[in-house]
Short mmCIF file of all heavy atoms in Angstrom, two decimals:
data_model
loop_
_atom_site.label_atom_id
_atom_site.label_comp_id
_atom_site.label_asym_id
_atom_site.label_seq_id
_atom_site.Cartn_x
_atom_site.Cartn_y
_atom_site.Cartn_z
N ARG A 24 9.46 -7.71 -10.53
CA ARG A 24 8.71 -8.46 -9.52
C ARG A 24 7.36 -8.85 -10.09
O ARG A 24 6.79 -8.15 -10.92
CB ARG A 24 8.51 -7.60 -8.27
CG ARG A 24 9.80 -7.30 -7.51
CD ARG A 24 9.51 -6.71 -6.16
NE ARG A 24 8.58 -7.56 -5.40
CZ ARG A 24 7.96 -7.18 -4.30
NH1 ARG A 24 8.15 -5.96 -3.82
NH2 ARG A 24 7.12 -8.00 -3.69
N ASP A 25 6.82 -9.96 -9.57
CA ASP A 25 5.48 -10.41 -9.93
C ASP A 25 4.46 -9.50 -9.24
O ASP A 25 4.51 -9.32 -8.03
CB ASP A 25 5.30 -11.86 -9.47
CG ASP A 25 3.92 -12.40 -9.77
OD1 ASP A 25 3.06 -11.66 -10.30
OD2 ASP A 25 3.70 -13.59 -9.46
N VAL A 26 3.55 -8.93 -10.01
CA VAL A 26 2.59 -7.98 -9.45
C VAL A 26 1.67 -8.65 -8.42
O VAL A 26 1.15 -8.00 -7.52
CB VAL A 26 1.79 -7.28 -10.57
CG1 VAL A 26 0.84 -8.26 -11.23
CG2 VAL A 26 1.05 -6.06 -10.05
N ASN A 27 1.51 -9.95 -8.53
CA ASN A 27 0.71 -10.67 -7.54
C ASN A 27 1.40 -10.76 -6.18
O ASN A 27 0.78 -11.15 -5.20
CB ASN A 27 0.39 -12.09 -8.03
CG ASN A 27 -0.46 -12.06 -9.27
OD1 ASN A 27 -1.44 -11.32 -9.35
ND2 ASN A 27 -0.07 -12.84 -10.27
N GLY A 28 2.64 -10.38 -6.13
CA GLY A 28 3.39 -10.40 -4.87
C GLY A 28 3.23 -9.13 -4.05
O GLY A 28 3.85 -8.99 -3.00
N VAL A 29 2.42 -8.20 -4.54
CA VAL A 29 2.19 -6.95 -3.80
C VAL A 29 0.69 -6.73 -3.61
O VAL A 29 -0.04 -6.57 -4.58
CB VAL A 29 2.80 -5.73 -4.52
CG1 VAL A 29 2.59 -4.47 -3.67
CG2 VAL A 29 4.28 -5.94 -4.81
N GLN A 30 0.26 -6.73 -2.37
CA GLN A 30 -1.15 -6.51 -2.05
C GLN A 30 -1.40 -5.04 -1.78
O GLN A 30 -0.55 -4.36 -1.18
CB GLN A 30 -1.48 -7.28 -0.78
CG GLN A 30 -2.49 -8.39 -0.96
CD GLN A 30 -2.99 -8.84 0.40
OE1 GLN A 30 -2.23 -9.39 1.20
NE2 GLN A 30 -4.25 -8.58 0.66
N LEU A 31 -2.56 -4.58 -2.16
CA LEU A 31 -2.96 -3.20 -1.88
C LEU A 31 -3.93 -3.18 -0.69
O LEU A 31 -5.03 -3.75 -0.76
CB LEU A 31 -3.63 -2.58 -3.11
CG LEU A 31 -4.25 -1.20 -2.92
CD1 LEU A 31 -3.23 -0.17 -2.45
CD2 LEU A 31 -4.93 -0.73 -4.21
N LEU A 32 -3.50 -2.52 0.37
CA LEU A 32 -4.37 -2.30 1.52
C LEU A 32 -4.90 -0.87 1.45
O LEU A 32 -4.11 0.09 1.42
CB LEU A 32 -3.57 -2.52 2.82
CG LEU A 32 -4.32 -2.31 4.13
CD1 LEU A 32 -5.48 -3.28 4.27
CD2 LEU A 32 -3.36 -2.46 5.32
N ALA A 33 -6.21 -0.73 1.41
CA ALA A 33 -6.81 0.61 1.32
C ALA A 33 -6.98 1.18 2.73
O ALA A 33 -7.77 0.66 3.52
CB ALA A 33 -8.17 0.52 0.62
N VAL A 34 -6.23 2.21 3.04
CA VAL A 34 -6.27 2.80 4.39
C VAL A 34 -7.39 3.84 4.44
O VAL A 34 -7.31 4.90 3.81
CB VAL A 34 -4.91 3.43 4.75
CG1 VAL A 34 -5.00 4.13 6.11
CG2 VAL A 34 -3.83 2.36 4.79
N SER A 35 -8.43 3.53 5.21
CA SER A 35 -9.67 4.28 5.12
C SER A 35 -9.99 5.11 6.36
O SER A 35 -11.11 5.63 6.49
CB SER A 35 -10.81 3.31 4.82
OG SER A 35 -10.71 2.13 5.60
N LYS A 36 -9.03 5.28 7.25
CA LYS A 36 -9.29 6.07 8.47
C LYS A 36 -9.79 7.46 8.10
O LYS A 36 -9.32 8.05 7.13
CB LYS A 36 -8.02 6.18 9.31
CG LYS A 36 -6.84 6.83 8.60
CD LYS A 36 -5.67 7.02 9.56
CE LYS A 36 -4.47 7.59 8.88
NZ LYS A 36 -3.37 6.62 8.73
N THR A 37 -10.72 7.96 8.88
CA THR A 37 -11.40 9.25 8.75
C THR A 37 -12.43 9.29 7.62
O THR A 37 -13.22 10.24 7.55
CB THR A 37 -10.45 10.47 8.55
OG1 THR A 37 -9.96 10.49 7.20
CG2 THR A 37 -9.29 10.47 9.54
N HIS A 38 -12.45 8.30 6.75
CA HIS A 38 -13.42 8.34 5.64
C HIS A 38 -14.69 7.57 6.03
O HIS A 38 -14.62 6.55 6.69
CB HIS A 38 -12.80 7.75 4.38
CG HIS A 38 -11.61 8.53 3.91
ND1 HIS A 38 -11.71 9.79 3.35
CD2 HIS A 38 -10.28 8.28 3.99
CE1 HIS A 38 -10.51 10.27 3.08
NE2 HIS A 38 -9.62 9.36 3.46
N PRO A 39 -15.85 8.09 5.63
CA PRO A 39 -17.12 7.48 6.03
C PRO A 39 -17.34 6.12 5.38
O PRO A 39 -16.77 5.83 4.33
CB PRO A 39 -18.17 8.49 5.54
CG PRO A 39 -17.51 9.21 4.42
CD PRO A 39 -16.04 9.25 4.75
N SER A 40 -18.17 5.31 6.01
CA SER A 40 -18.38 3.95 5.49
C SER A 40 -18.92 3.94 4.06
O SER A 40 -18.64 3.03 3.30
CB SER A 40 -19.25 3.11 6.41
OG SER A 40 -20.14 3.87 7.14
N GLU A 41 -19.65 5.02 3.68
CA GLU A 41 -20.14 5.05 2.28
C GLU A 41 -18.97 5.07 1.28
O GLU A 41 -19.07 4.50 0.20
CB GLU A 41 -21.01 6.27 2.01
CG GLU A 41 -22.25 6.42 2.90
CD GLU A 41 -21.92 7.08 4.24
OE1 GLU A 41 -21.72 8.29 4.27
OE2 GLU A 41 -21.87 6.34 5.26
N SER A 42 -17.88 5.72 1.67
CA SER A 42 -16.72 5.75 0.77
C SER A 42 -16.07 4.36 0.67
O SER A 42 -15.59 3.97 -0.38
CB SER A 42 -15.67 6.74 1.26
OG SER A 42 -16.22 8.04 1.30
N LEU A 43 -16.07 3.65 1.79
CA LEU A 43 -15.51 2.30 1.77
C LEU A 43 -16.38 1.39 0.89
O LEU A 43 -15.87 0.57 0.13
CB LEU A 43 -15.42 1.72 3.18
CG LEU A 43 -14.23 2.16 4.03
CD1 LEU A 43 -14.36 3.60 4.50
CD2 LEU A 43 -14.05 1.24 5.23
N ARG A 44 -17.69 1.57 1.03
CA ARG A 44 -18.60 0.76 0.22
C ARG A 44 -18.39 1.02 -1.27
O ARG A 44 -18.35 0.10 -2.08
CB ARG A 44 -20.06 1.09 0.62
CG ARG A 44 -21.11 0.21 -0.03
CD ARG A 44 -22.51 0.54 0.49
NE ARG A 44 -22.73 0.13 1.87
CZ ARG A 44 -23.06 -1.11 2.24
NH1 ARG A 44 -23.22 -2.05 1.33
NH2 ARG A 44 -23.24 -1.42 3.49
N GLU A 45 -18.19 2.27 -1.58
CA GLU A 45 -17.94 2.64 -2.97
C GLU A 45 -16.61 2.05 -3.46
O GLU A 45 -16.50 1.54 -4.58
CB GLU A 45 -17.91 4.17 -3.07
CG GLU A 45 -18.25 4.73 -4.43
CD GLU A 45 -18.19 6.25 -4.41
OE1 GLU A 45 -18.81 6.87 -3.52
OE2 GLU A 45 -17.50 6.80 -5.28
N MET A 46 -15.60 2.11 -2.60
CA MET A 46 -14.29 1.54 -2.94
C MET A 46 -14.39 0.03 -3.10
O MET A 46 -13.77 -0.57 -3.99
CB MET A 46 -13.27 1.91 -1.87
CG MET A 46 -11.84 1.53 -2.18
SD MET A 46 -11.18 2.36 -3.65
CE MET A 46 -10.66 3.93 -2.96
N TYR A 47 -15.19 -0.59 -2.26
CA TYR A 47 -15.42 -2.03 -2.34
C TYR A 47 -15.99 -2.40 -3.71
O TYR A 47 -15.61 -3.40 -4.32
CB TYR A 47 -16.37 -2.44 -1.22
CG TYR A 47 -16.69 -3.92 -1.13
CD1 TYR A 47 -15.94 -4.76 -0.30
CD2 TYR A 47 -17.76 -4.48 -1.84
CE1 TYR A 47 -16.23 -6.11 -0.19
CE2 TYR A 47 -18.05 -5.83 -1.74
CZ TYR A 47 -17.29 -6.64 -0.91
OH TYR A 47 -17.59 -7.98 -0.81
N GLN A 48 -16.89 -1.55 -4.18
CA GLN A 48 -17.53 -1.84 -5.46
C GLN A 48 -16.55 -1.76 -6.63
O GLN A 48 -16.83 -2.28 -7.71
CB GLN A 48 -18.74 -0.90 -5.68
CG GLN A 48 -19.96 -1.44 -4.94
CD GLN A 48 -20.92 -0.35 -4.49
OE1 GLN A 48 -20.76 0.82 -4.82
NE2 GLN A 48 -21.93 -0.75 -3.73
N THR A 49 -15.40 -1.14 -6.44
CA THR A 49 -14.38 -1.13 -7.48
C THR A 49 -13.52 -2.40 -7.44
O THR A 49 -12.61 -2.56 -8.24
CB THR A 49 -13.44 0.09 -7.35
OG1 THR A 49 -12.56 -0.12 -6.23
CG2 THR A 49 -14.20 1.38 -7.16
N GLY A 50 -13.78 -3.27 -6.45
CA GLY A 50 -13.04 -4.52 -6.36
C GLY A 50 -12.11 -4.62 -5.17
O GLY A 50 -11.50 -5.66 -4.92
N GLN A 51 -11.98 -3.54 -4.40
CA GLN A 51 -11.08 -3.55 -3.24
C GLN A 51 -11.68 -4.39 -2.10
O GLN A 51 -12.86 -4.23 -1.79
CB GLN A 51 -10.84 -2.11 -2.78
CG GLN A 51 -9.87 -1.96 -1.64
CD GLN A 51 -8.45 -2.39 -2.02
OE1 GLN A 51 -8.02 -2.22 -3.15
NE2 GLN A 51 -7.75 -2.98 -1.07
N ARG A 52 -10.89 -5.26 -1.49
CA ARG A 52 -11.39 -6.10 -0.39
C ARG A 52 -10.70 -5.85 0.94
O ARG A 52 -11.29 -6.07 2.00
CB ARG A 52 -11.24 -7.59 -0.75
CG ARG A 52 -12.17 -8.04 -1.88
CD ARG A 52 -13.63 -7.96 -1.46
NE ARG A 52 -14.53 -8.25 -2.57
CZ ARG A 52 -15.05 -7.33 -3.38
NH1 ARG A 52 -14.76 -6.05 -3.21
NH2 ARG A 52 -15.87 -7.68 -4.35
N ALA A 53 -9.42 -5.45 0.92
CA ALA A 53 -8.68 -5.26 2.17
C ALA A 53 -8.67 -3.79 2.56
O ALA A 53 -8.26 -2.93 1.77
CB ALA A 53 -7.25 -5.78 2.01
N PHE A 54 -9.14 -3.50 3.78
CA PHE A 54 -9.21 -2.13 4.28
C PHE A 54 -8.46 -2.03 5.61
O PHE A 54 -8.54 -2.93 6.44
CB PHE A 54 -10.66 -1.68 4.47
CG PHE A 54 -11.39 -1.46 3.17
CD1 PHE A 54 -11.97 -2.52 2.49
CD2 PHE A 54 -11.49 -0.18 2.62
CE1 PHE A 54 -12.63 -2.32 1.27
CE2 PHE A 54 -12.15 0.02 1.42
CZ PHE A 54 -12.73 -1.04 0.74
N GLY A 55 -7.75 -0.91 5.78
CA GLY A 55 -6.97 -0.69 7.00
C GLY A 55 -7.50 0.49 7.79
O GLY A 55 -7.76 1.56 7.24
N GLU A 56 -7.65 0.30 9.10
CA GLU A 56 -8.15 1.34 9.99
C GLU A 56 -7.19 1.54 11.17
O GLU A 56 -6.53 0.60 11.60
CB GLU A 56 -9.54 0.96 10.53
CG GLU A 56 -10.64 1.00 9.46
CD GLU A 56 -11.14 2.41 9.17
OE1 GLU A 56 -10.99 3.28 10.06
OE2 GLU A 56 -11.66 2.65 8.07
N ASN A 57 -7.15 2.77 11.70
CA ASN A 57 -6.23 3.09 12.79
C ASN A 57 -6.90 3.31 14.14
O ASN A 57 -6.25 3.21 15.17
CB ASN A 57 -5.48 4.41 12.50
CG ASN A 57 -4.51 4.28 11.37
OD1 ASN A 57 -4.92 3.95 10.26
ND2 ASN A 57 -3.24 4.53 11.64
N TYR A 58 -8.17 3.71 14.12
CA TYR A 58 -8.82 4.10 15.36
C TYR A 58 -9.93 3.11 15.66
O TYR A 58 -10.84 2.90 14.85
CB TYR A 58 -9.38 5.52 15.24
CG TYR A 58 -8.35 6.49 14.71
CD1 TYR A 58 -8.44 7.05 13.45
CD2 TYR A 58 -7.21 6.78 15.49
CE1 TYR A 58 -7.47 7.90 12.96
CE2 TYR A 58 -6.24 7.64 15.01
CZ TYR A 58 -6.36 8.20 13.74
OH TYR A 58 -5.39 9.02 13.25
N LEU A 59 -9.84 2.51 16.86
CA LEU A 59 -10.70 1.35 17.15
C LEU A 59 -12.19 1.68 17.08
O LEU A 59 -12.95 0.98 16.41
CB LEU A 59 -10.34 0.77 18.52
CG LEU A 59 -11.16 -0.47 18.89
CD1 LEU A 59 -10.97 -1.59 17.88
CD2 LEU A 59 -10.82 -0.94 20.29
N GLN A 60 -12.62 2.73 17.77
CA GLN A 60 -14.05 3.02 17.83
C GLN A 60 -14.62 3.29 16.43
O GLN A 60 -15.66 2.76 16.05
CB GLN A 60 -14.31 4.22 18.76
CG GLN A 60 -15.74 4.33 19.22
CD GLN A 60 -16.30 3.00 19.74
OE1 GLN A 60 -15.65 2.32 20.52
NE2 GLN A 60 -17.50 2.63 19.28
N GLU A 61 -13.88 4.10 15.69
CA GLU A 61 -14.29 4.40 14.31
C GLU A 61 -14.36 3.12 13.48
O GLU A 61 -15.31 2.90 12.72
CB GLU A 61 -13.27 5.38 13.71
CG GLU A 61 -13.56 5.76 12.28
CD GLU A 61 -12.37 6.48 11.61
OE1 GLU A 61 -11.51 7.04 12.31
OE2 GLU A 61 -12.33 6.46 10.37
N ALA A 62 -13.38 2.27 13.65
CA ALA A 62 -13.32 1.03 12.87
C ALA A 62 -14.50 0.12 13.20
O ALA A 62 -15.13 -0.44 12.31
CB ALA A 62 -12.01 0.31 13.14
N LEU A 63 -14.81 0.01 14.50
CA LEU A 63 -15.90 -0.90 14.90
C LEU A 63 -17.23 -0.44 14.31
O LEU A 63 -18.06 -1.26 13.88
CB LEU A 63 -15.99 -0.99 16.43
CG LEU A 63 -14.81 -1.68 17.12
CD1 LEU A 63 -14.96 -1.60 18.63
CD2 LEU A 63 -14.67 -3.13 16.67
N GLU A 64 -17.42 0.88 14.24
CA GLU A 64 -18.66 1.40 13.64
C GLU A 64 -18.74 1.04 12.16
O GLU A 64 -19.79 0.67 11.64
CB GLU A 64 -18.74 2.92 13.83
CG GLU A 64 -19.10 3.29 15.27
CD GLU A 64 -18.85 4.76 15.60
OE1 GLU A 64 -18.81 5.60 14.66
OE2 GLU A 64 -18.69 5.08 16.80
N LYS A 65 -17.61 1.13 11.47
CA LYS A 65 -17.61 0.79 10.04
C LYS A 65 -17.81 -0.70 9.81
O LYS A 65 -18.50 -1.11 8.88
CB LYS A 65 -16.31 1.26 9.38
CG LYS A 65 -16.20 2.77 9.28
CD LYS A 65 -14.88 3.15 8.64
CE LYS A 65 -14.60 4.63 8.88
NZ LYS A 65 -13.24 4.99 8.45
N ILE A 66 -17.17 -1.50 10.67
CA ILE A 66 -17.32 -2.96 10.53
C ILE A 66 -18.79 -3.33 10.67
O ILE A 66 -19.32 -4.15 9.91
CB ILE A 66 -16.43 -3.68 11.57
CG1 ILE A 66 -14.95 -3.51 11.21
CG2 ILE A 66 -16.79 -5.16 11.66
CD1 ILE A 66 -13.97 -4.01 12.28
N GLU A 67 -19.44 -2.69 11.61
CA GLU A 67 -20.88 -2.93 11.81
C GLU A 67 -21.69 -2.46 10.60
O GLU A 67 -22.53 -3.18 10.07
CB GLU A 67 -21.31 -2.18 13.09
CG GLU A 67 -22.78 -2.23 13.42
CD GLU A 67 -23.26 -3.63 13.76
OE1 GLU A 67 -22.43 -4.43 14.23
OE2 GLU A 67 -24.47 -3.91 13.53
N ALA A 68 -21.42 -1.25 10.15
CA ALA A 68 -22.19 -0.67 9.04
C ALA A 68 -21.99 -1.43 7.73
O ALA A 68 -22.85 -1.38 6.85
CB ALA A 68 -21.81 0.80 8.86
N LEU A 69 -20.85 -2.12 7.60
CA LEU A 69 -20.52 -2.77 6.32
C LEU A 69 -20.52 -4.29 6.45
O LEU A 69 -19.88 -4.98 5.66
CB LEU A 69 -19.14 -2.27 5.85
CG LEU A 69 -19.03 -0.76 5.60
CD1 LEU A 69 -17.59 -0.35 5.32
CD2 LEU A 69 -19.94 -0.33 4.44
N ASN A 70 -21.25 -4.80 7.44
CA ASN A 70 -21.15 -6.24 7.70
C ASN A 70 -21.80 -7.10 6.62
O ASN A 70 -21.71 -8.32 6.66
CB ASN A 70 -21.65 -6.60 9.12
CG ASN A 70 -23.14 -6.40 9.27
OD1 ASN A 70 -23.84 -6.07 8.31
ND2 ASN A 70 -23.64 -6.58 10.47
N ASP A 71 -22.45 -6.45 5.66
CA ASP A 71 -22.99 -7.22 4.52
C ASP A 71 -21.92 -7.43 3.44
O ASP A 71 -22.15 -8.15 2.47
CB ASP A 71 -24.21 -6.49 3.91
CG ASP A 71 -23.87 -5.06 3.48
OD1 ASP A 71 -23.18 -4.34 4.24
OD2 ASP A 71 -24.28 -4.67 2.37
N LEU A 72 -20.76 -6.81 3.59
CA LEU A 72 -19.69 -6.94 2.58
C LEU A 72 -18.61 -7.91 3.06
O LEU A 72 -18.39 -8.07 4.26
CB LEU A 72 -19.05 -5.57 2.30
CG LEU A 72 -20.00 -4.43 1.92
CD1 LEU A 72 -19.20 -3.16 1.64
CD2 LEU A 72 -20.85 -4.81 0.70
N ASP A 73 -17.91 -8.49 2.10
CA ASP A 73 -16.87 -9.46 2.42
C ASP A 73 -15.51 -8.76 2.52
O ASP A 73 -14.63 -8.97 1.70
CB ASP A 73 -16.87 -10.54 1.32
CG ASP A 73 -15.87 -11.63 1.61
OD1 ASP A 73 -15.55 -11.86 2.79
OD2 ASP A 73 -15.41 -12.27 0.64
N ILE A 74 -15.38 -7.92 3.55
CA ILE A 74 -14.17 -7.11 3.71
C ILE A 74 -13.17 -7.83 4.60
O ILE A 74 -13.54 -8.45 5.59
CB ILE A 74 -14.52 -5.73 4.31
CG1 ILE A 74 -15.28 -4.89 3.27
CG2 ILE A 74 -13.26 -4.99 4.78
CD1 ILE A 74 -15.65 -3.49 3.74
#
Side-chain angles (χ1 to χ4, degrees):
R24 293 192 53 194
D25 179 357
V26 70
N27 296 314
V29 182
Q30 244 194 294
L31 173 59
L32 179 62
V34 176
S35 43
K36 59 175 177 251
T37 76
H38 298 289
S40 28
E41 302 83 75
S42 299
L43 280 72
R44 186 176 289 278
E45 205 180 308
M46 187 62 83
Y47 182 93
Q48 278 151 7
T49 74
Q51 184 64 35
R52 291 294 174 268
F54 289 83
E56 290 281 336
N57 291 60
Y58 310 111
L59 181 60
Q60 197 48 46
E61 179 192 338
L63 292 175
E64 285 165 23
K65 290 179 196 171
I66 290 172
E67 176 65 27
L69 300 172
N70 68 4
D71 57 316
L72 307 182
D73 183 26
I74 290 181

